[in-house]
Amino acid sequence: MIPPSVTDDDPAGDWTAPGVFRSAPDVYRIPLPLPQDGLRAVNVYAVADTDGWTLIDSGWALDEARDLLEAALKALGSGFGDVRRFLVTHAHRDHYTLASVLRREYGTRVLLGRGEEPNLAMMHAQDRRPGDGDAPRLVRAGAHELARQVRESPWPAPDLSQWEYPDEWIDDRAVVEVGQGEGTRRLEAIETPGHTRGHLVFADDAADLMFAGDHVLPRITPSIGLQPDPVANPLGDFLTSLQLLRSRPDARLLPAHGPLGRRVHERVDELLEHHVVRLDASLAAVDAGCGTGFEVAGRLRWTRREHQLSDLDLFNSMLAVMETSAHLDVLVERGVLAVSEDDGVAVYRRA
């Protein structure tokens, strides 16, 4: 494969196009493909380090992604052996699995947020099938048919060789130093649960940069709580994490999916407002007589194209119902709604 040329990042261009894009001094964005995924690509960031590179996220363990990452490193005058470590924002396959594969071959260190340890432990649990953690949540939402389809779906079991434990767990507010001497870059790891329980962003305050993973995305809202070991109130965690970033110094947004060009505070404000609108719409659906997460999800509209729930495929229907339940549970936490259990199904009403 001919290595791509290195060019300056253009926020108006196609962010999914393969290549190597200079995002800031000594920081390069490398989009890697996500076939059969609506997100289309994931941004991996190469940060110049002592005698090599630190990569933030790694991509999905696919031949196409590996080849493109190798070509990108070659364009930077390097190879896989020059990658010192991967700082992984969270344990989803498009961020973690290629790092796991390359570590076995090249000895590259893999670092992950300590809050993700329960998710990896659950993935390694014996007799666990994909979807085992999702079906009970769908039943609680009153989506029995979706739960049945999830249980009977042919989703393959994960290749656990791609999900080995990291070399090092990163604690909240730990500082990772990249480089040495006067040029040392200090990346502060900030735990931002919501998308997953142990999601991290990496803040480089001196350079006005934030590597935001999936926590703050420039065009879409991230899924909430899709993980092997679910938490009680993922949306509440997510909103609190957004407020945390809003209280910190503003920065240029370097997202895992989508183009550059946004500021963190600007986009956080939009995400907070989006969830205010969704909470209001969920409450209105309960007032109109919808009692379960599934019923409320059927009344709402989905994606920027305003699809009905029935228009979505199985995976996105599951996400929609679980996200709706998360909004209803936030309204319970705030005292706006009350919830009771009816044969294992959560039923909501005005408090």
Side-chain angles (χ1 to χ4, degrees):
M1 177 180 292
I2 299 174
S5 58
V6 179
T7 60
D8 287 334
D9 223 325
D10 177 11
D14 178 5
W15 73 272
T16 68
V20 184
F21 303 93
R22 188 181 295 103
S23 305
D26 293 327
V27 178
Y28 300 88
R29 183 177 66 86
I30 304 170
L32 298 179
L34 301 179
Q36 300 178 338
D37 191 305
L39 293 174
R40 298 176 57 203
V42 59
N43 293 323
V44 172
Y45 293 93
V47 183
D49 204 343
T50 306
D51 299 326
W53 301 90
T54 287
L55 266 57
I56 297 177
D57 287 329
S58 72
W60 189 355
L62 300 166
D63 290 342
E64 183 183 359
R66 178 191 173 118
D67 291 346
L68 284 173
L69 182 58
E70 185 175 30
L73 291 170
K74 186 174 182 180
L76 293 170
S78 302
F80 287 138
D82 299 303
V83 179
R84 295 188 59 203
R85 59 193 164 186
F86 289 97
L87 305 181
V88 182
T89 58
H90 62 291
H92 277 169
R93 63 184 182 182
D94 52 328
H95 298 258
Y96 192 78
T97 56
L98 187 52
S100 232
V101 170
L102 293 174
R103 176 177 62 179
R104 287 200 303 276
E105 298 180 33
Y106 295 92
T108 314
R109 290 181 63 78
V110 177
L111 288 74
L112 180 68
R114 188 176 299 278
E116 292 290 71
E117 188 170 3
N119 281 328
L120 286 188
M122 186 63 72
M123 292 192 70
H124 285 266
Q126 293 184 350
D127 300 325
R128 181 185 177 277
R129 293 179 60 256
D132 280 354
D134 302 318
R137 287 185 282 176
L138 292 171
V139 169
R140 180 179 180 272
H144 293 86
E145 175 59 21
L146 281 179
R148 183 193 66 77
Q149 292 180 46
V150 166
R151 288 192 178 101
E152 296 178 359
S153 66
W155 295 343
D159 179 353
L160 293 181
S161 70
Q162 299 177 2
W163 293 98
E164 295 173 346
Y165 286 91
D167 298 286
E168 183 178 336
W169 297 109
I170 307 175
D171 290 315
D172 183 29
R173 306 309 170 97
V175 174
V176 181
E177 293 190 347
V178 181
Q180 63 183 7
E182 294 183 359
T184 300
R185 188 187 299 270
R186 293 171 58 84
L187 300 179
E188 183 179 7
I190 303 167
E191 194 171 69
T192 49
H195 180 60
T196 65
R197 63 190 303 146
H199 189 287
L200 294 177
V201 303
F202 295 97
D204 183 350
D205 291 340
D208 188 39
L209 300 175
M210 179 171 286
F211 301 91
D214 283 4
H215 182 58
V216 181
L217 300 175
R219 292 180 173 174
I220 61 174
T221 59
S223 62
I224 302 299
L226 182 64
Q227 55 195 330
D229 190 33
V231 298
N233 187 9
L235 180 59
D237 293 342
F238 179 66
L239 297 176
T240 299
S241 299
L242 289 177
Q243 293 285 6
L244 171 63
L245 295 193
R246 191 62 176 82
S247 71
R248 290 180 46 82
D250 199 8
R252 288 182 58 210
L253 175 62
L254 274 62
H257 307 282
L260 275 60
R262 305 294 300 275
R263 303 286 297 179
V264 172
H265 283 185
E266 169 197 26
R267 183 54 181 153
V268 164
D269 288 344
E270 292 175 357
L271 288 168
L272 289 169
E273 176 60 26
H274 164 80
H275 285 288
V276 168
V277 171
R278 295 301 277 187
L279 288 166
D280 287 346
S282 300
L283 180 59
V286 172
D287 286 341
C290 298
T292 68
F294 179 64
E295 290 170 349
V296 173
R299 190 177 179 90
L300 302 179
R301 294 294 176 265
W302 298 96
T303 80
R304 287 176 293 178
R305 295 179 175 84
E306 296 288 302
H307 286 303
Q308 294 183 340
L309 181 65
S310 58
D311 297 331
L312 305 180
D313 61 21
L314 174 60
F315 180 72
N316 286 292
S317 295
M318 179 182 72
L319 290 182
V321 171
M322 291 195 299
E323 181 176 317
T324 302
S325 294
H327 281 85
L328 294 170
D329 288 336
V330 165
L331 290 170
V332 171
E333 181 185 56
R334 294 179 179 180
V336 180
L337 292 179
V339 62
S340 58
E341 295 282 334
D342 181 6
D343 198 21
V345 176
V347 180
Y348 299 88
R349 66 184 186 283
R350 275 278 188 173

